[in-house]
Each structure stands twice: as structure tokens, then as C-alpha cells.
Amino acid sequence: MNKPLRRVAIFCGVLIMALLVRVNWVQFVQADEIKNHDKNRRVAIDRYSHPRGNIIVEGKPITGSTETTGSDFKYKRTYKNGKMWAPVTGRASQAFGGTQLEEIHDSILTGNDDRLFFNRTIDMLTGKPKEGGNVVTTLNARAQEAAFKGLGTKKGAVAAIDPQTGAILALASTPSYDPSLIAGNSKDDEKNWVALGKEKNADEPMLNRALRQTYAPGSTFKVVTAAAGLESGRYDIDKSTGIASPFQLPQSTHELGNEGNDARCDKATLRVAMQWSCNATFAAISNDLGNEEMIKQAEKFGFNKEVFTPTRAVASIYPEDNAPQNAQAGIGQASNRATPLQMAMVTAAVANDGKLMKPYMVDSLEGPRSVVEQTEPEEMGQAVSAPNAKKLQDMMETVVNEGTGSNAQLPGVTVGGKTGTAQRGEENKDNPYAWFISYAKTESGSPVAVAVVVEDSNAKRNEISGGGLAAPIAVDVMKAVLDSKR
């Protein structure tokens, strides 16, 4: 072979080697990345080439699929009462992707999950079309409806939990949106998407306030401060705390008291302080215990870390802070922030004799012919000792029977609760948040713990209170759960 031909042959050999290396790199290293890439349209076309499996509540689907025309996506998602269930389902949109259960369990719903391999094989051999699996939730339809209707046109959220298992029973957020409006990829879907976005809609209907929004928890946090006080051994429910009202904040000339209740709150017992929501008592306890002890107690209830239900809930924060700020954080103000789910967890732990269960909203994942995954209740820890949890229950039941939470009374049912009116804005100029946390108790323990926050309403400022706005919603949710168990 002459020299020029030899060079051409070597060059061609190098090209062939480079091609072989590239082919193998793509096939064995990049295959999964390319297959699952968001912009791989073949994946999206396959995802919507057959009906998705469904999200199930109490044996009934709250989702569906409908055939479409004029697109290479054969089916699109539909939702039943989409606004009410959106904080649970999230969305599955041909144009805008998925969120929450639709996204987290997309592989089950599309039928592509590896655990459905045998189902797919049988379908292929028998000539049946591909089927998606189902996501079976823990939600209680009546409780969800009560929460959603109770919030109505008000901006806010509700979270309800079974304290004994951690199963989420209701998860409502308002204003909400219908995911069906953005499930396709038409011009109308695009127009609806823009209208729902934060830039065009200040109410943020796509924000899941129950899991993703933190608020100052206000006086509902006094349950946590009381737990810290009891666990320290320095306080008991029917002994005078010796704390004067008003209380002068440390390193400050500012005095913290309660409008009209200072006489009742002066040197009050823990029970009386909880009954009338005495700011001075709980701010002084938080100051007495110190920032480190308060953080430790808050974290036992789940603060300062994200919670996965499996949908992610942002971390509620009990902050590292100086003495005056820590005193105010002890009454749920300053930099203290909590999600409605977090305050439902606090209530659930108290109602469950101190044991905190991990909240979850998926009971099982089902293939077309079998259950592929079953969720088992999981203990997160002992937030407070059982004897002290009983004392907290005693105090919260006094709040409902004889205190600020009387609007939560249910005939023939033991109810414990705590009101909260969280101040907002510089010099408290904005309308406050109205909170209420509560549980109902039967002979077999508590089947439901609820947290309600009303962020905004048409009520006048002096009419906004946890007992007035939020407690009636909590009552309807508790009643719905109790009725469904009869």
C-alpha cells in the first residue's frame, strides 16, 4: 500500500473507532438521561399515548383521562372537582409538566414503573393496551369537602391528620385552581396558565398553602411552649407560674400583655394562661427556658426540617434568636413560622399521648392486577412524654369548654383546641391571620387533628380571631371525620 492510501485507511479507521465509542457511550451511559429528559418529546408522547391510571379517594377516582384530537398526544388528564382536590393531586399537563402526586408517582400512573414489568408483559402477550396503575390516597372525601367549603372565598388552608397513624385526611388550600384547565397544550391552556401565574394573579391559586406557605403561628404555638415548660419540670398546669402580666420583655422597656385579660393572666396557672391565651405567661416561659431549649422542643414536634408526604412540605422554623425575639417566638410571633401541616402535627402529637406519627397521604400504589407498594404508619418520635401530653390535652379541652375556643364545642364529643390570632406587618398594621388547632377524642383515642389558618377574609379587623373565623371550619372537618366512622 502506498503512503497516501495508508494515511486514508488510518484516518478512516480512526473515524470508525470514534463512531463506535460514541455509539456505545450514548447507548450505555447517556441512554437513561436522554430517555428521561424533559425535552424528549417521545417520552411525553408515550406518556399521553394511553389513559393514565387514577388517583383514588375512598375507592373512587378523582382523576380521569379523555381522548384528544389535533395533537400527537392521544389522551389528556381530567379532574373531578379539580379545585377542591388540586392541593392533593397537583397537575399532569401536556404543556407545563406535572406536580405533586401526579409527578411523584408518574411512573406508576403511566404504567412505566419497573414494578409493573410483569403486567406490561402479560398485556403485550394478550394484546391488551397498556394500562397505568393507581395511587390510592388516605384522604377522607367528606373532610376534604368540609375544609374546602369552610374556607369558601377566604384565602387560607386546612390540614387534618389521623393522630394514631399520621394519615392525612384533608388538605385544602384556597383560592385554588382546576388542573383540567391547563392539562392540554392548546392556546386556551396557555392562556389559562398565564392567568393562574403569580405575575398575573396575586392570590397565587397554584400555591399549596397547606404545605408550602409558612405563617406566624400566633397563639396556637403556646401549646409547644407549654410542652417545653412541662417537660422542664419547672411548671405544672394548676400551680401558679408566678409570672406577672404584663411581662417586660428582656433587654427592652416594652411590656407584653393581653387586652382586657391582664388581671386573669397575672400569676396565672398554665391552665388559666392557656384558657385565656395569656401572652405574658408564655413569653416569660420561653424567656425562662431559653432559645436552645425552645428550639429543642419545637424540633421534637417536627420544626426546622422538611416533611415529605410524599409531596414536600417546606420546613417550619423555630429560629436561633436573641432573648427578646425568643420571648416573642414563644407566643408564635417574631421569626417563628409554621405551615398548617406542621401545626396539625403538633395537635396530632398531643392528641396521640405525645407520639408523633409521620404524615402521609398515599395508602398504596396499585398495578392493574396487584398492590405494588403499601404504606405502613411510621413513628417520627416522642414529642412530649405521655403524662405531659395528657396535661396538654387537659388544658386544650379547658380552652374549648371554658375559654377562647368555645366555638369548637361538639355535643357529646371531647374536643381540645387552641385559638391563634397572628399579628402581621410593621406596627401590626395588616390584618392578622386567624388560626385554630384542635382534635376530637373518642373512647378509642383521637381519630382527627386539624389545623386551620385564614389568611385573609372580608371580615373587619376587630372581627378577625381564630375562634371566630377558623374554629367553625375545624369543627366541620372534625364532624365530617367522626360521621364517616359511624
Side-chain angles (χ1 to χ4, degrees), residues 39 54 107 123 234 254 260 275 341 356 384 461 465 479:
K39 296 188 177 176
N54 282 309
S107 64
D123 288 346
R234 301 184 209 175
H254 181 71
Q275 181 182 356
L341 178 71
L356 177 62
V384 59
R461 183 188 181 87
S465 69
K479 191 169 184 301

Side-chain angles (χ1 to χ4, degrees), residues 301-382:
F301 280 107
F303 278 72
N304 292 343
K305 60 186 173 189
E306 295 177 329
V307 178
F308 292 86
T309 70
T311 302
R312 182 179 66 89
V314 297
S316 299
I317 302 297
Y318 191 92
E320 288 186 21
D321 230 330
N322 57 33
Q325 290 291 297
N326 178 64
Q328 296 210 59
I331 61 169
Q333 297 287 171
S335 300
N336 190 341
R337 308 286 294 177
T339 62
L341 178 71
Q342 174 60 71
M343 294 315 295
M345 290 166 64
V346 169
T347 319
V350 171
N352 196 33
D353 295 341
K355 186 184 294 183
L356 177 62
M357 303 300 291
K358 181 180 178 183
Y360 66 100
M361 70 170 86
V362 174
D363 177 72
S364 61
L365 302 177
E366 293 180 342
R369 296 171 191 83
S370 61
V371 173
V372 297
E373 184 176 316
Q374 179 73 49
T375 305
E376 296 296 334
E378 184 181 338
E379 186 178 333
M380 287 182 72
Q382 191 75 26

Side-chain angles (χ1 to χ4, degrees), residues 275 394 396-403 405-406 409 413-415:
Q275 181 182 356
D394 209 1
M396 292 177 71
E397 287 158 23
T398 300
V399 170
V400 172
N401 294 332
E402 305 168 32
S406 59
Q409 291 176 4
V413 180
T414 300
V415 175

Side-chain angles (χ1 to χ4, degrees), residues 225-238:
T225 304
L230 291 169
E231 291 284 274
S232 74
R234 301 184 209 175
Y235 303 93
D236 210 343
I237 61 172
D238 290 318

Side-chain angles (χ1 to χ4, degrees), residues 181-304:
L181 297 175
I182 51 174
N185 64 352
S186 67
K187 290 289 184 187
D188 284 343
D189 290 284
E190 184 178 348
K191 186 178 171 183
N192 293 333
W193 172 262
V194 172
L196 290 169
K198 187 177 179 179
E199 291 182 357
K200 294 285 185 183
N201 194 327
D203 287 338
E204 297 186 78
M206 290 195 288
L207 172 63
N208 187 337
R209 290 175 164 78
L211 303 181
R212 300 287 176 82
Q213 182 71 31
T214 61
Y215 304 86
S219 294
T220 58
F221 190 81
K222 289 170 182 170
V223 173
V224 179
T225 304
L230 291 169
E231 291 284 274
S232 74
R234 301 184 209 175
Y235 303 93
D236 210 343
I237 61 172
D238 290 318
K239 291 180 181 175
S240 169
T241 58
I243 298 167
S245 184
F247 168 70
Q248 185 171 321
L249 290 170
Q251 304 169 23
S252 168
T253 57
H254 181 71
E255 289 190 332
L256 189 65
N258 268 50
E259 287 182 24
N261 276 337
D262 277 347
R264 285 170 167 164
C265 295
D266 191 43
K267 299 178 182 175
T269 64
L270 273 186
R271 184 195 299 276
V272 170
M274 189 75 80
Q275 181 182 356
W276 301 113
S277 200
C278 298
N279 288 332
T281 309
F282 292 99
I285 291 173
S286 184
N287 182 59
D288 176 33
L289 299 177
N291 190 229
E292 192 175 329
E293 284 301 308
M294 288 299 296
I295 290 174
K296 192 181 297 182
Q297 182 61 66
E299 290 182 347
K300 285 183 179 178
F301 280 107
F303 278 72
N304 292 343

